[in-house]
Amino acid sequence: MKKFFKILLWIVVAIIFLGTFVFLFLNSRPKPERFEFVSPDTGVIERTTVLTGQIEPRDEIAIKPQISGIITQINVEPGDMVKEGQVIAVIKVIPDASQLSSAEGRVNAAEIALEDARLKYERNTLLYDRKVISREEFESTQTAYNQAREELASARDAVNIVKQGVSRYNASEANTQVRATIDGLVLDVPVKVGTSVIQANTFNDGTTIATVADMSNLIFKGTVDETEVGSLAVGMPLSITIGAIPDFACETTVEYISPKGTETNGANTFELKAAVTAPEGVNIRAGYSANANVALDHTGSVMRLPESVIEFAGDSTFVYVLTDTVPTQQFRRTSVVTGLSDGINIEVKSGIDSTTVVRGTKISDK
């Protein structure tokens, strides 16, 4: 009995060994590759590029003071609408010592001149009443006296302007009142009450009190690489999308391409501009990131294939044409002439016809 079980055990071991050997042998044999089939179709191929940029107002104005001083009042904040001429801030003047000294010296000189003119006028008035001097001489003295009074008033007004920035002749148009120069939306107010500001001059651009822009007139400002700028021209159509507004799309045209490039991270780029029109009810904010899709080249209706089935070898292109399916799929490497590509499909000019079946994607064995 023991001998029987021993023989049976060896038979089982032999069967397992033989089965393992057969299994490994069958799995080690290469399986024939199988591919999907693709035939050319007819359609339009368009080569496009995506330009990155942002939305900006066409006219963005920096409002600057006409006099130096300290801000005592700010009447607007970002997001407010303003009208041209509206007062947006008030400045307290800090007098310049040399200007104040010069203005006060002018007042002193005007007071002396007025006193001299007054004495001459009073003296000549008595002489004229006694018929000692002519009427012409008397009127000349009277004119000089009146001019001296006006000069003193003007000198005192100059002192007031230096001290307070306000003239008694046009107090409503005082330099201390900073006014909007256009109708528009306040984008930024970079100063606060108490901030010292300076007026624009030869050596300084001046302090910006507020930035105002007309948000009804927007543009897309983007950049294009030097390898593609030669394919663009003013008037070409492009489609603008804004990431912050998923459903927004604006069809417009290129209105400006910079004639001079700018080096950015080792690559030359050129600035491009296009008008942006917002549909009613869509609020576009300045600074939104945007993309512009523009067609660099396109074809009419042509024969095309998926670019993934094309084999590129130097300047030549090939496809694998199906010749037989029995016992396995068989293909012939065939040279073709290709044209424009959009990254997905490629134009096939010659080498095959519309009835040709070519090798596509490999079918994986699961």
Side-chain angles (χ1 to χ4, degrees):
M1 191 62 135
K2 290 183 179 180
K3 185 176 181 181
F4 172 76
F5 281 112
K6 185 180 291 187
I7 295 173
L8 181 61
L9 177 61
W10 280 106
I11 293 174
V12 172
V13 171
I15 293 174
I16 294 174
F17 178 78
L18 183 61
T20 303
F21 176 79
V22 172
F23 175 79
L24 294 176
F25 174 76
L26 293 177
N27 280 274
S28 65
R29 296 177 62 187
K31 295 181 180 179
E33 293 182 325
R34 295 184 301 132
F35 296 88
E36 294 180 350
F37 300 144
V38 178
S39 293
D41 66 355
T42 302
V44 175
I45 295 179
E46 186 174 71
R47 183 168 68 91
T48 64
T49 188
V50 178
L51 313 179
T52 59
Q54 62 182 14
I55 304 299
E56 296 182 3
R58 188 182 298 276
D59 298 316
E60 184 173 327
I61 307 299
I63 309 298
K64 299 179 182 293
Q66 298 179 354
I67 197 167
S68 301
I70 296 176
I71 294 179
T72 58
Q73 182 179 333
I74 296 178
N75 300 329
V76 297
E77 60 183 21
D80 290 347
M81 295 295 299
V82 295
K83 295 291 186 180
E84 181 180 354
Q86 179 178 334
V87 177
I88 62 176
V90 178
I91 297 175
K92 177 183 177 182
V93 176
I94 304 300
D96 180 80
S98 62
Q99 292 181 353
L100 181 60
S101 177
S102 176
E104 290 178 341
R106 179 183 169 189
V107 170
N108 293 334
E111 288 176 343
I112 294 172
L114 176 62
E115 180 63 16
D116 179 65
R118 183 185 66 80
L119 293 175
K120 289 181 180 179
Y121 171 70
E122 291 178 350
R123 182 173 59 250
N124 283 355
T125 298
L126 294 175
L127 294 176
Y128 177 70
D129 291 342
R130 295 175 182 177
K131 309 298 182 180
V132 176
I133 60 175
S134 66
R135 181 179 181 83
E136 180 181 358
E137 187 176 353
F138 168 71
E139 290 177 347
S140 178
T141 305
Q142 186 180 37
T143 300
Y145 176 54
N146 291 334
Q147 289 176 340
R149 286 194 300 178
E150 288 299 320
E151 172 59 23
L152 178 59
S154 177
R156 287 172 176 169
D157 191 53
V159 172
N160 196 55
I161 291 174
V162 173
K163 286 183 175 180
Q164 302 179 10
V166 179
S167 170
R168 67 186 179 91
Y169 298 108
N170 58 348
S172 62
E173 299 295 331
N175 289 342
T176 55
Q177 296 178 337
V178 182
R179 299 175 180 272
T181 55
I182 62 169
D183 296 346
L185 179 73
V186 178
L187 299 181
D188 186 28
V189 181
V191 296
K192 298 180 180 179
V193 172
T195 302
S196 295
V197 297
I198 58 175
Q199 69 184 99
N201 53 50
T202 306
F203 306 102
N204 197 293
D205 291 335
T207 306
T208 298
I209 303 296
T211 303
V212 180
D214 179 6
M215 295 302 291
S216 64
N217 189 2
L218 301 173
I219 61 170
F220 167 80
K221 182 183 290 186
T223 56
V224 58
D225 190 81
E226 63 181 339
T227 59
E228 297 177 332
V229 69
S231 301
L232 297 176
V234 173
M236 289 181 65
L238 72 163
S239 176
I240 297 174
T241 57
I242 299 176
I245 310 177
D247 297 330
F248 175 84
C250 174
E251 302 299 327
T252 183
T253 58
V254 178
E255 64 178 41
Y256 170 81
I257 301 174
S258 174
K260 181 179 179 180
T262 303
E263 185 175 347
T264 306
N265 297 325
N268 287 332
T269 59
F270 293 79
E271 185 180 72
L272 177 145
K273 296 179 183 179
V276 176
T277 302
E280 186 175 353
V282 175
N283 182 25
I284 300 180
R285 299 179 183 274
Y288 270 160
S289 297
N291 293 326
N293 294 283
V294 56
L296 301 178
D297 198 0
H298 69 280
T299 68
S301 183
V302 296
M303 185 171 64
R304 61 185 186 177
L305 277 172
E307 190 168 344
S308 59
V309 306
I310 302 293
E311 178 185 292
F312 295 89
D315 295 333
S316 303
T317 51
F318 301 88
V319 295
Y320 287 84
V321 177
L322 179 67
T323 58
D324 203 346
T325 59
V326 178
T328 59
Q329 295 177 354
Q330 298 180 31
F331 301 93
R332 182 182 69 252
R333 189 169 186 253
T334 303
S335 175
V336 293
V337 178
T338 57
L340 186 65
S341 170
D342 60 7
I344 299 176
N345 295 310
I346 188 169
E347 178 187 3
V348 179
K349 295 182 176 180
S350 64
I352 59 174
D353 56 37
S354 60
T355 63
T356 305
V357 178
V358 301
R359 188 178 75 182
T361 307
K362 181 179 178 181
I363 300 174
S364 59
D365 294 322
K366 296 184 179 180

